[in-house]
Amino acid sequence: MSMKSFDKFCERMITAEPGSEKEIFDERQKVMRMRLAIETLLICVCLIFVNGIISEMIIERQWAEYMSTVNLLFAVLCMLWWEIRCAVKGCLVAVSGRIAQKTSAVMSVLIGVLNGLRYAFNIGEDDFLIKDGRLSADFVFLLCCALLIGGGIFMFTAIRREEKREETEKGMKEK
């Protein structure tokens, strides 16, 4: 990180208004997040493309009721992949603005729960899992909602872990 960008970073942290807290990442985190986002988008596009080729040209039969639900499943899986990769590389949690990140994690869990409730009531039906020899849309949507909840919990856990790590470092410095 150059001195000029570090000065701008410090200036933004000091002069920011208390009510307008945003996620602030350092330059290394920004670059790493962008690289991982590009990698994840490439994986998602390849998954969707390969699935389309297999479903349309090779076996000429869809393995799920609707292919849009499968595309949504791939997108949610790629979101989880991105979160895990960012956590491993140390660029998931912002330097400042964790309240905004916690809010997005809670909203992810809340959206997953509220949307999943609609599909959870269909679990007892005969054709909930497989309908006409294909995965049913209700099952795939419920799976997407469960993965969305898992992603929100993972993000909240990663934020809390980072906060605890910083607290222990601060305690070590005071001693």
Side-chain angles (χ1 to χ4, degrees):
M1 181 183 257
S2 69
M3 285 300 289
K4 186 176 182 180
S5 63
F6 182 72
D7 289 342
K8 283 187 176 185
F9 172 73
C10 291
E11 179 183 341
R12 279 185 272 157
M13 284 181 62
I14 293 170
T15 60
E17 295 180 24
S20 66
E21 187 172 337
K22 295 180 182 177
E23 300 169 343
I24 299 175
F25 297 96
D26 64 9
E27 292 299 318
R28 181 197 65 82
Q29 286 178 319
K30 285 181 185 177
V31 169
M32 188 60 64
R33 284 172 68 95
M34 185 62 68
R35 284 183 184 166
L36 293 174
I38 291 169
E39 169 190 296
T40 305
L41 285 173
L42 183 63
I43 290 170
C44 187
V45 167
C46 288
L47 280 172
I48 291 170
F49 180 73
V50 168
N51 182 49
I53 294 287
I54 290 172
S55 295
E56 299 293 330
M57 295 182 176
I58 296 176
I59 56 176
E60 295 180 9
R61 186 169 192 273
Q62 295 178 348
W63 57 276
E65 192 174 0
Y66 300 110
M67 294 315 291
S68 60
T69 59
V70 176
N71 293 343
L72 178 66
L73 179 64
F74 289 153
V76 173
L77 285 172
C78 286
M79 179 204 68
L80 284 173
W81 173 256
W82 179 79
E83 284 181 357
I84 291 168
R85 293 274 292 158
C86 283
V88 167
K89 296 287 185 175
C91 59
L92 180 66
V93 182
V95 175
S96 177
R98 293 201 178 127
I99 292 174
Q101 283 189 308
K102 285 180 183 178
T103 303
S104 67
V106 168
M107 289 303 293
S108 175
V109 170
L110 187 64
I111 289 169
V113 167
L114 292 177
N115 285 322
L117 283 176
R118 183 251 181 256
Y119 301 105
F121 290 119
N122 296 339
I123 288 178
E125 294 180 4
D126 291 336
D127 59 350
F128 175 73
L129 182 60
I130 296 178
K131 188 179 212 177
D132 297 329
R134 298 178 288 181
L135 284 177
S136 73
D138 290 344
F139 174 72
V140 177
F141 275 129
L142 184 63
L143 184 61
C144 289
C145 291
L147 290 172
L148 189 63
I149 292 168
I153 291 171
F154 178 79
M155 185 171 234
F156 193 72
T157 305
I159 293 168
R160 185 66 190 134
R161 183 173 156 231
E162 185 70 21
E163 287 175 346
K164 282 188 176 185
R165 188 186 63 79
E166 287 180 0
E167 288 173 4
T168 57
E169 284 180 2
K170 193 182 270 188
M172 294 289 235
K173 288 182 182 178
E174 289 176 0
K175 290 181 180 181

